[in-house]
Amino acid sequence: MTTSRATTVKPPELRDFYENPAVPVASGTPRSRRQARILADALGPASPPRTILDLGCGDGTAAATAAPFLPGHRIVGIDWSQDALRRARTRIPYAIRGELTDGGLPFRSASADAVLFSEVIEHLVDPDAALDEIRRVLRPGGHLMLSTPNLAAWYNRGLLLAGVQPVFSEVSLRAIHGRPGREVVGHLRLYTARALREFVAASGFQVVRLAGAPFHGVPRALRPLDRLACARPSLASILLLHARRT
């Protein structure tokens, strides 16, 4: 599936899963570019330079993709996977270890201007604690750019009617069971557009915009339909949310 990752308290087997170099750690490049453009418009000119945290930076691909759209700003990649950080340091200047627990990010309160949170939240044991920690490090009015797979994507609705496990959902860390796809990526939580809006708002953020994005894993013949579904975020494959810290 998607993704870069970070999480809260993890049983050893889950930590081992995410430390496995074979587990995908990069989100789709087109989504990273789109998020970067939205953030660049929101931040405005890089004077003074702003601090942007890429939480769950994975191998640094998303941050490296975003950097040309955010010239002059300081992008810091953060992940708890040492393997991911080793790869990230070959792509971005700053990549440090941190966790999405209470005080687990190595930044002072209200010290960051924006957070990129690209396809991380679906991997978290405790997403409430994660958003609390993000809110802590963001200054008032700071930007949260979050993306995550959509449980209610147009094809998932049809799959459920047919009694098939939805795409993006997983019942095992060892193999795919009952759904399309070949990769196990460790999704623990999934959101609909409505659930994501409500959850983020309840965590102390004002939702500015919710948009849809296509998914690279959709079969080629169905990709035009997937792009068309983006016009209605509730049907899109991927949810892109822009929110501000209240």
Side-chain angles (χ1 to χ4, degrees):
M1 305 285 56
T2 43
T3 181
S4 42
R5 303 90 28 146
T7 188
T8 55
V9 179
K10 301 160 286 293
E13 62 272 15
L14 190 57
R15 181 180 289 276
D16 293 343
F17 174 81
Y18 285 122
E19 289 285 5
N20 182 352
V23 175
V25 294
S27 301
T29 298
R31 293 195 293 280
S32 298
R33 289 179 183 145
R34 186 172 179 190
Q35 279 188 306
R37 290 191 188 102
I38 295 171
L39 181 56
D41 289 342
L43 289 175
S47 181
R50 311 295 177 87
T51 297
I52 302 167
L53 309 182
D54 182 10
L55 301 185
C57 67
D59 64 5
T61 299
T65 300
F69 299 94
L70 298 160
H73 298 303
R74 178 179 179 235
I75 303 178
V76 182
I78 302 171
D79 208 293
W80 62 263
S81 168
Q82 296 290 4
D83 176 74
L85 288 171
R86 280 192 291 271
R87 286 182 276 172
R89 290 176 184 132
T90 68
R91 295 181 171 92
I92 55 178
Y94 309 104
I96 60 178
R97 194 177 187 282
E99 300 213 19
L100 287 169
T101 53
D102 183 20
L105 294 177
F107 291 88
R108 298 188 308 274
S109 297
S111 61
D113 297 285
V115 163
L116 294 171
F117 204 40
S118 302
E119 283 142 82
V120 176
I121 197 168
E122 64 270 18
H123 298 268
L124 301 184
V125 174
D126 188 351
D128 301 273
L131 286 193
D132 287 346
E133 181 66 357
I134 289 172
R135 191 173 187 277
R136 181 187 70 80
V137 299
L138 275 177
R139 63 170 176 79
H143 302 273
L144 169 63
M145 306 298 303
L146 184 156
S147 64
T148 190
N150 182 10
L151 174 61
W154 60 276
Y155 41 81
N156 278 347
R157 299 182 186 212
L159 290 173
L160 276 171
L161 286 173
V164 178
Q165 187 81 7
V167 175
F168 307 127
S169 65
E170 296 185 324
V171 299
S172 170
L173 293 178
R174 299 177 181 177
I176 297 295
H177 299 291
R179 70 156 174 84
R182 298 179 180 178
E183 292 181 324
V184 178
V185 294
H187 289 177
L188 304 180
R189 300 185 182 275
L190 291 174
Y191 300 80
T192 64
R194 178 177 176 177
L196 186 64
R197 276 182 176 275
E198 291 184 3
F199 174 59
V200 171
S203 300
F205 294 86
Q206 179 184 6
V207 177
V208 177
R209 179 184 179 188
L210 182 64
F215 173 50
H216 61 269
V218 170
R220 186 176 298 274
L222 297 177
R223 288 179 186 175
L225 185 56
D226 194 40
R227 289 192 293 270
L228 185 64
C230 292
R232 292 190 62 185
S234 62
L235 296 174
S237 288
I238 305 294
L239 301 172
L240 301 179
L241 181 139
H242 173 205
R244 301 193 72 173
R245 181 196 185 281
T246 56

